[in-house]
Amino acid sequence: RASMQPAAPLPERQGVPPVHGVSNTVVGVLGGGQLGKMLCQAASQMGIKMVILDPLQGCPASSVCHEHVVGSFSDGDAVREFSKRCGVLTVEIEHVDAATLEKLEEQVPYTQLQDKYRQKKHFSKFGILLPDFMEVDTLHSIEEAGERFGYPLMVKSKRLAYDGRGNAVAQKKEDLSSVVASLGGFEHGLYVERWTPFVKELSVIVARSRDGSTVCYPVVETIHKDNICHIVEAPAEVSAKIKKSATDVAEKAIKSLEGAGVFAVELFLTEDDEILLNEVAPRPHNSGHHTIESCYTSQYEQHLRAILGIPLGDPSMKAPAAIMYNILGEDEGEAGFFLAHQLIQRALNIPGASVHWYAKPEMRKQRKMGHITIVGPSKASVKLRLDKLLQRDTYDPK
Ligand code: ATP
Ligand code: MG
Ligand code: MG
């Protein structure tokens, strides 16, 4: 012992504590749903500490985070207090107290993005194609919009929309007043969009680092049922030219914004191969769940890398094909849990299938309860495996 050399002194930078592992920074997340949970899972692998702000005791992220603070992410005081525990703040849901968040972080323009009408105005200024849209605040103005855009007419809430809750379609002029009433009237802010008879819906996840550089994930196709994302196919089965234009539009949209993190760009592909932007979500997204199993760096790890200012990872696919199936509540309560469990049991017998169960305390119809990602050697094989999972003879995404 006496003959042992003393350890070499550690290199010291004045006042800066040495980094243990990937990062010492504690990450605070507003929201503890499934996206927050999967962020925490990626963080756990890298030994990054996560604290969550969510009002729901037992929320999905609570079982995997370092600490869960029970409180409201839409309450400025709660967000300010919460921020004192964290080195960096991020969101897993855009419906947060954006004004407070922006004062604390000065990063992503959440206020602008959480209002879908303001979003659209912003992107149209940057020459990005969108379905025609118009703000409406009286029955007269919405009738005018109906005359201008024709029917069916898509009517949308500006704020607090998700899974299509906040959208309603008017088939004819006579429907307008009941459609407006179904969205809670004009008081909370409505706008309309021209109906887009898209041939496919596509999505591109774009990650942006603190220095403004971006990387894009492969273009995927999202298939919605009753306005809710249902199936995601990766990569999308479209031509290389369409992939390029979808990626270009997505990158251009994100370059027009500020802030670091991953962003999802939802797109419509039209019959004449035009790409229109639907909306942007400033966070990890349902269309990127598959990246956990199918890409070198998942969207969740990527989001952490981006907000922590460490190098972005490789977004490319390490499997030739993947398909993601959302487990939506089919019934309330125990009956719903039983149906979901039957599906999960079948998934456990399918090669390449990974089950994600969010462990939400309550089962409700149409609620996202979990998802299953199937990876495989080709698109045809993962579709066959999905058919087996869903006990059907032919692939039919609807
Ligand atoms: P999310 O859960 O993605 O946040 P959301 O509630 O914000 O959804 P949107 O993305 O606006 O809703 O619309 C949901 C779905 O409705 C779209 O994915 C698309 O299938 C359909 N949709 C939206 N806008 C139009 C349109 N202008 N024309 C035709 N279909 C549309
Ligand atoms: Mg939305
Ligand atoms: Mg959407």
Side-chain angles (χ1 to χ4, degrees):
R1 240 176 220 236
S3 66
M4 264 176 73
Q5 295 285 321
L10 288 168
E12 248 183 56
R13 281 182 295 150
Q14 267 185 340
V16 182
V19 177
H20 292 180
V22 177
S23 173
N24 290 343
T25 306
V26 175
V27 177
V29 188
L30 303 186
Q34 63 267 26
L35 300 168
K37 177 174 187 174
M38 289 182 269
L39 262 181
C40 290
Q41 286 168 329
S44 164
Q45 177 182 319
M46 297 189 288
I48 294 166
K49 271 194 187 160
M50 303 290 279
V51 288
I52 296 286
L53 179 67
D54 192 283
L56 180 67
Q57 197 97 50
C59 66
S62 65
S63 64
V64 282
C65 64
H66 184 69
E67 198 185 342
H68 171 206
V69 176
V70 178
S72 167
F73 45 71
S74 36
D75 169 9
D77 290 337
V79 172
R80 241 184 320 275
E81 203 47 42
F82 175 74
S83 73
K84 293 178 188 158
R85 299 163 181 259
C86 336
V88 60
L89 267 186
T90 188
V91 308
E92 64 108 48
I93 177 169
E94 62 270 39
H95 308 306
V96 297
D97 180 9
T100 305
L101 184 59
E102 279 167 7
K103 264 185 231 138
L104 293 166
E105 280 292 324
E106 295 177 57
Q107 275 193 1
V108 181
Y110 293 106
T111 356
Q112 190 169 22
L113 290 172
Q114 68 183 188
D115 180 326
K116 287 161 75 172
Y117 173 71
R118 275 187 66 185
Q119 245 201 52
K120 290 213 151 68
K121 276 210 303 197
H122 169 86
F123 291 124
S124 61
K125 272 192 228 137
F126 284 82
I128 291 165
L129 293 181
L130 309 152
D132 291 323
F133 64 102
M134 184 178 144
E135 188 174 27
V136 290
D137 48 14
T138 57
L139 200 55
H140 177 72
S141 63
I142 199 170
E143 282 177 3
E144 228 174 61
E147 258 164 54
R148 180 135 42 116
F149 298 156
Y151 291 88
L153 183 69
M154 180 57 101
V155 188
K156 294 190 178 183
S157 302
K158 290 179 176 176
R159 290 165 49 83
L160 298 173
Y162 73 100
D163 290 348
R165 284 165 237 203
N167 292 357
V169 181
Q171 296 297 343
K172 51 188 187 310
K173 184 179 169 187
E174 291 69 33
D175 295 348
L176 287 173
S177 57
S178 64
V179 160
V180 168
S182 76
L183 295 175
F186 292 106
E187 302 83 278
H188 303 296
L190 298 179
Y191 73 103
V192 299
E193 282 178 22
R194 188 191 292 277
W195 184 258
T196 309
F198 52 79
V199 289
K200 278 177 196 267
E201 285 190 80
L202 304 175
S203 170
V204 179
I205 309 264
V206 182
R208 185 185 156 113
S209 68
R210 278 190 180 173
D211 65 17
S213 60
T214 54
V215 298
C216 298
Y217 280 83
V219 182
V220 300
E221 178 174 356
T222 56
I223 297 149
H224 290 71
K225 200 168 129 186
D226 303 327
N227 276 298
I228 305 179
C229 178
H230 179 49
I231 287 173
V232 173
E233 288 186 25
E237 283 176 272
V238 292
S239 69
K241 197 172 152 213
I242 290 171
K243 280 183 186 157
K244 181 167 184 326
S245 47
T247 310
D248 288 348
V249 170
E251 201 168 21
K252 187 171 174 187
I254 300 315
K255 284 202 185 289
S256 77
L257 300 170
E258 310 227 314
V262 301
F263 297 80
V265 186
E266 298 178 10
L267 303 163
F268 296 133
L269 172 65
T270 67
E271 214 169 35
D272 30 354
D273 286 356
E274 248 178 2
I275 301 283
L276 306 185
L277 185 142
N278 174 27
E279 62 167 340
V280 167
R283 52 167 171 77
H285 191 253
N286 200 162
S287 66
H289 288 353
H290 72 94
T291 62
I292 296 175
E293 287 85 10
S294 75
C295 293
Y296 288 102
T297 303
S298 77
Q299 65 163 348
Y300 300 100
E301 176 173 335
Q302 198 73 290
H303 187 67
L304 294 167
R305 287 178 180 235
I307 61 173
L308 289 169
I310 55 183
L312 294 182
D314 178 358
S316 59
M317 289 180 75
K318 59 185 178 189
I323 203 157
M324 190 279 330
Y325 179 82
N326 267 347
I327 308 177
L328 300 174
E330 286 184 49
D331 208 335
E332 310 286 317
E334 282 309 318
F337 280 120
F338 176 72
L339 291 170
H341 180 65
Q342 282 187 315
L343 182 76
I344 289 170
Q345 272 187 308
R346 289 198 297 275
L348 294 173
N349 285 304
I350 289 175
S354 300
V355 175
H356 295 253
W357 182 249
Y358 308 146
K360 294 186 179 178
E362 254 185 86
M363 164 68 75
R364 268 185 247 133
K365 262 193 185 164
Q366 298 289 71
R367 189 175 207 199
K368 291 172 177 168
M369 300 303 295
H371 75 267
I372 294 163
T373 298
I374 306 173
V375 294
S378 67
K379 190 52 89 51
S381 78
V382 293
K383 283 183 175 175
L384 268 175
R385 291 172 188 182
L386 182 67
D387 289 337
K388 203 169 154 216
L389 173 69
L390 302 178
Q391 296 181 305
R392 58 188 186 191
D393 298 330
T394 47
Y395 183 71
D396 171 15
K398 307 273 163 169

